[in-house]
Amino acid sequence: RCGKTSIQEVLFKGLPPKDAFFIEPTTKVVKTAYESDQSSTVIPLEIWDCPGSLTIQTLPMPLSQFPTIAFVIDIQDHHQQPIARLVELVITAYQENQNVNLEVFVHKAEALSEEYKIENFKHIQQRVLEELDDYDYGHIPMNFYLTSIHDHSLQDAFSKVVHKLIDSLPYIEDLLNVFCGNSQATKAFLFDVKSRLYVATDASPVDSATHSLCSDFLLTLNSFGPLYKWASTFEERRKLFPSQLVQPPSASIQGSPSASPRSPSSFDKGKLPDTDQVTDPPKALFYPSASTSLSPGSTETTVTCYLITPQLALLALIPTQTFEGRRGLVEYNVVYFREGVQEIWQVEREARTRG
């Protein structure tokens, strides 16, 4: 009952935080592969949701096989037993794999006042480190996060956990740094659209207000996006707006009254295509974008969102004066950033397929 399943449900399955109260306790290990073969995200994630009663001995796979182990502690609970179990888990995991990432979520922080939850968080962290030091394992690197499903602290903490699993992270960060430099963006994130985890960010520090702003903007777009449809062909547009469109005159190629559209490559060579070889052109990919201005005044900023792949979106903060005056340049930089990320994703996908 410390909130392990609710973390996964809220992040990856869109469960409203207010409904997490009704989740039944987990009684067996539940495995969820977040990235499918057709997914275009760079997050290689499979989550094992383990019940609180599970022991190291009954775990169906050795701890050495897990690159990351996350332990969740209820900040409201009595801490003695959870801390003892955490210390045992950390020592065993480190003995089996010294490269394992050890993460501790001090969860349900919303239940306490600001001052009291910070005090409890520091107390738990100090107790864990002291007990590890008593066993001569005080040198084990660990990360502690104060989290809640009711604010952005969970997305921020889980994003930092995921960063350690992305082999291509340095290359994506370099692309973001170049984009910020060329577009005069003050901050940029590459978000996973569904979970709103940020896959990478530029070199400037991440502050909670900026992260919350970009996360909320993406949530708004996710909520209203399904209301709009991209009509990429005349037939689709005619169905949506029958009274506003007129059927274009049909073209005739080499005496054929209803031939398919011409082949651009053939016309580039200065000759008509053979009607037997004419094919419909590939459907163009559509990458939506959105922007909105914030805080009118001399320091007015525009938050922008550009879809990079069907699962990844670039969110950037750009001075409004720069964005309005050099929007073409910004979008030109987005195109090159998109191509770079897509190439990285393709390389990773091929590597996983071979693996």
Side-chain angles (χ1 to χ4, degrees):
R1 305 297 300 180
C2 62
K4 299 184 298 297
T5 303
S6 64
I7 288 176
Q8 179 176 336
E9 294 288 327
V10 169
L11 283 180
F12 301 110
K13 298 183 180 179
L15 180 75
K18 62 182 178 62
D19 294 340
F21 179 78
F22 303 103
I23 295 177
E24 294 293 330
T26 303
T27 57
K28 62 180 181 179
V29 176
V30 179
K31 306 173 188 178
T32 304
Y34 179 57
E35 183 189 22
S36 64
D37 293 337
Q38 302 301 320
S39 178
S40 52
T41 179
V42 293
I43 300 178
L45 197 60
E46 181 179 87
I47 299 176
W48 287 34
D49 184 9
C50 302
S53 59
L54 188 75
T55 64
I56 298 174
Q57 292 73 24
T58 57
L59 191 67
M61 195 165 75
L63 285 174
S64 59
Q65 300 300 310
F66 295 92
T68 296
I69 298 175
F71 195 92
V72 184
I73 295 180
D74 186 345
I75 196 171
Q76 311 169 83
D77 202 357
H78 297 292
H79 302 146
Q80 184 173 354
Q81 184 179 359
I83 289 177
R85 294 189 61 189
L86 171 59
V87 169
E88 179 189 5
L89 175 69
V90 168
I91 293 175
T92 305
Y94 186 77
Q95 288 174 342
E96 295 189 17
N97 177 16
Q98 295 190 4
N99 295 319
V100 66
N101 301 315
L102 298 167
E103 318 288 348
V104 181
F105 290 76
V106 182
H107 199 46
K108 299 186 179 181
E110 76 282 352
L112 304 178
S113 65
E114 188 70 26
E115 181 179 355
Y116 194 41
K117 68 184 179 184
I118 295 297
E119 180 182 339
N120 274 21
F121 176 71
K122 291 181 178 179
H123 173 72
I124 292 172
Q125 185 174 1
Q126 183 178 358
R127 280 281 308 278
V128 171
L129 296 178
E130 286 177 352
E131 293 206 18
L132 285 172
D133 196 47
D134 290 342
Y135 291 99
D136 294 328
Y137 283 95
H139 60 283
I140 298 178
M142 298 176 61
N143 299 291
F144 291 80
Y145 307 97
L146 184 62
T147 59
S148 168
I149 59 174
H150 296 278
D151 57 32
H152 298 94
S153 60
L154 179 59
Q155 277 90 356
D156 184 37
F158 215 97
S159 296
K160 294 174 181 176
V161 172
V162 169
H163 290 173
K164 301 169 187 176
L165 303 175
I166 303 175
D167 295 334
S168 57
L169 181 64
Y171 308 107
I172 300 175
E173 290 176 338
D174 286 344
L175 289 174
L176 286 166
N177 290 331
V178 171
F179 171 80
C180 288
N182 293 340
S183 304
Q184 298 183 21
T186 56
K187 189 62 186 172
F189 296 92
L190 183 63
F191 272 92
D192 179 78
V193 173
K194 183 178 179 182
S195 64
R196 288 185 293 128
L197 301 177
Y198 66 92
V199 174
T201 185
D202 65 286
S204 62
V206 177
D207 65 89
S208 59
T210 300
H211 170 253
S212 299
L213 172 66
C214 292
S215 181
D216 284 341
F217 187 48
L218 183 57
L219 176 62
T220 301
L221 297 177
N222 285 345
S223 301
F224 287 92
L227 298 176
Y228 297 89
K229 176 179 174 61
W230 167 247
S232 59
T233 67
F234 178 83
E235 285 300 319
E236 291 176 352
R237 293 195 294 271
R238 183 178 63 81
K239 292 176 183 178
L240 291 174
F241 313 106
S243 62
Q244 300 178 23
L245 295 176
V246 179
Q247 176 69 37
S250 59
S252 175
I253 300 179
Q254 291 190 352
S256 174
S258 57
S260 300
R262 66 187 186 178
S263 166
S265 59
S266 296
F267 277 99
D268 289 343
K269 298 176 183 178
K271 64 180 182 179
L272 290 173
D274 186 344
T275 54
D276 294 334
Q277 299 177 357
V278 173
T279 59
D280 290 333
K283 185 177 180 180
L285 294 176
F286 177 58
Y287 295 102
S289 63
S291 62
T292 186
S293 330
L294 308 169
S295 305
S298 58
T299 58
E300 186 176 355
T301 300
T302 294
V303 55
T304 63
C305 176
Y306 295 93
L307 197 67
I308 302 302
T309 75
Q311 300 295 337
L312 298 173
L314 170 67
L315 279 91
L317 296 178
I318 304 174
T320 299
Q321 185 176 2
T322 301
F323 181 72
E324 292 179 349
R326 308 177 66 183
R327 183 165 184 170
L329 177 60
V330 171
E331 295 183 349
Y332 178 83
N333 294 331
V334 169
V335 170
Y336 276 90
F337 176 81
R338 179 183 292 122
E339 290 178 353
V341 171
Q342 290 180 352
E343 287 182 12
I344 291 172
W345 162 68
Q346 187 62 35
V347 170
E348 287 211 348
R349 184 179 179 183
E350 292 174 356
R352 291 171 200 158
T353 301
R354 291 194 299 268

